[in-house]
Amino acid sequence: MANIIEVHDLAAPELTLFSHLTEAQLRNRSDPEKGIFIAESSKVIKLALKYGCKPLAFLMERKRITGQAQDIIRECGDVPIYTGDRELLAKLTGYKLTRGILCALTRPKLAAAENLITKARRIAVLDGITDSTNVGAIFRSAAALGMDAILITPSCCDPLCRRSVRVSMGTIFQLPWARIGEDISILRTWGFKIVAMALNPDSVGIEDKKLAAEKRLALIFGSEGYGLSSAVIAACDYAVKIPMAHQVDSLNVAAASAVAFWQLRI
């Protein structure tokens, strides 16, 4: 039976999940497996549930209870559902619920990187990307365009922060991903040729036939401001660029990733 709780006191401690905890606090750096994340919209929440994330609480507009959230509520039993008018909930969260529903869930347990990519032929590695919108967009493109997995370095934004999850449209649960250390050269010991997406003078064009012929490629994407470090580029087998026109110097990293995924797909 649905456990529906009307929100009257915005300072109620049980609402802290949706109001006062930072992304770092939600993530629980000391023990990530005990951390949580916030998913937004019925589509994304359904995918999170499908792939094994356990719901802890919902926050939703009252009209969603008998609308698009009916199936989710039925599936989740007595998980508490905090509800109220749109304006009241916006005061609680600090932003309007554009999709009308938030859900706090347990974080999925990640596999070890080397186990995740055993059979992978094309993977992406995100290094130092700090914009959560870009991370979510890269996940969506990677899933749509045939990447087998994504690896995240310690300097990259958390893929399970709220905005990243929303922008990914739930593909963050569909595409396998794992964390990797700073030393990307280990990818070579796992059988990959490493590709630095970088606008170096000696970079080869992304249409180079040698790239397409490689059996296993790991595509490395760097930060929005400075790209990949010289040390990372030096550790790669290829430096690769997307040819530009009209004196445009580069693409946004999310757009560049989509081009690379399409061109180098198998």
Side-chain angles (χ1 to χ4, degrees):
M1 183 175 179
N3 181 12
I4 300 171
I5 303 166
E6 193 77 20
V7 174
H8 298 292
D9 180 7
L10 298 183
E14 59 268 26
L15 297 176
T16 300
L17 290 175
F18 301 105
S19 58
H20 295 101
L21 295 185
T22 65
E23 290 289 352
Q25 289 170 324
L26 288 170
R27 187 161 66 248
N28 193 344
R29 287 181 179 274
S30 63
D31 192 351
E33 290 188 13
K34 292 182 179 179
I36 65 175
F37 70 97
I38 305 296
E40 184 177 353
S41 88
S42 59
K43 177 179 179 179
V44 173
I45 293 167
K46 286 178 180 178
L47 282 169
L49 295 173
K50 178 180 178 181
Y51 286 91
C53 300
K54 295 181 180 180
L56 302 174
F58 290 93
L59 182 71
M60 67 178 71
E61 296 173 7
R62 192 179 295 107
K63 66 181 181 179
R64 308 289 178 175
I65 294 172
T66 55
Q68 62 182 244
Q70 286 186 83
D71 293 345
I72 297 173
I73 292 172
R74 192 178 303 115
E75 180 181 348
C76 293
D78 62 354
V79 173
I81 301 163
Y82 300 101
T83 188
D85 294 328
R86 183 181 180 89
E87 292 72 20
L88 178 66
L89 300 187
K91 289 180 181 178
L92 173 68
T93 61
Y95 54 88
K96 289 187 177 180
L97 306 189
T98 55
R99 303 293 182 180
I101 309 171
L102 296 180
C103 183
L105 303 108
T106 58
R107 294 174 70 92
K109 185 176 181 179
L110 298 181
E114 60 268 34
N115 297 331
L116 182 73
I117 60 174
T118 301
K119 297 181 180 179
R121 299 182 66 189
R122 294 290 187 267
I123 64 173
V125 181
L126 310 189
D127 179 51
I129 299 176
T130 58
D131 188 308
S132 54
T133 299
N134 283 334
V135 171
I138 291 170
F139 264 86
R140 189 174 181 181
S141 294
L145 300 175
M147 292 294 105
D148 297 311
I150 290 182
L151 300 181
I152 308 293
T153 71
S155 58
C156 184
C157 167
D158 177 27
L160 285 172
C161 73
R162 184 184 65 86
R163 186 179 294 274
S164 175
V165 173
R166 178 172 62 81
V167 173
S168 80
M169 292 299 291
T171 53
I172 201 164
F173 309 112
Q174 297 171 298
L175 189 67
W177 64 280
R179 299 193 179 278
I180 188 175
E182 295 285 1
D183 182 10
I184 57 98
S185 64
I186 194 171
L187 293 165
R188 194 173 292 108
T189 69
W190 296 339
F192 288 89
K193 293 291 186 178
I194 311 173
V195 175
M197 296 301 301
L199 293 170
N200 277 19
D202 57 347
S203 294
V204 300
I206 197 167
E207 295 178 334
D208 192 299
K209 292 182 179 179
K210 290 185 294 184
L211 288 171
E214 295 285 4
K215 292 182 178 180
R216 307 184 85 191
L217 286 178
L219 311 180
I220 319 293
F221 298 90
S223 72
E224 293 85 354
Y226 301 100
L228 295 170
S229 69
S230 56
V232 168
I233 295 172
C236 294
D237 299 292
Y238 296 95
V240 173
K241 62 185 176 183
I242 299 170
M244 300 283 116
H246 300 290
Q247 284 86 49
V248 176
D249 59 359
S250 64
L251 293 175
N252 163 273
V253 66
S257 73
V259 173
F261 297 156
W262 171 257
Q263 180 64 37
L264 299 175
R265 72 196 187 284
I266 292 180

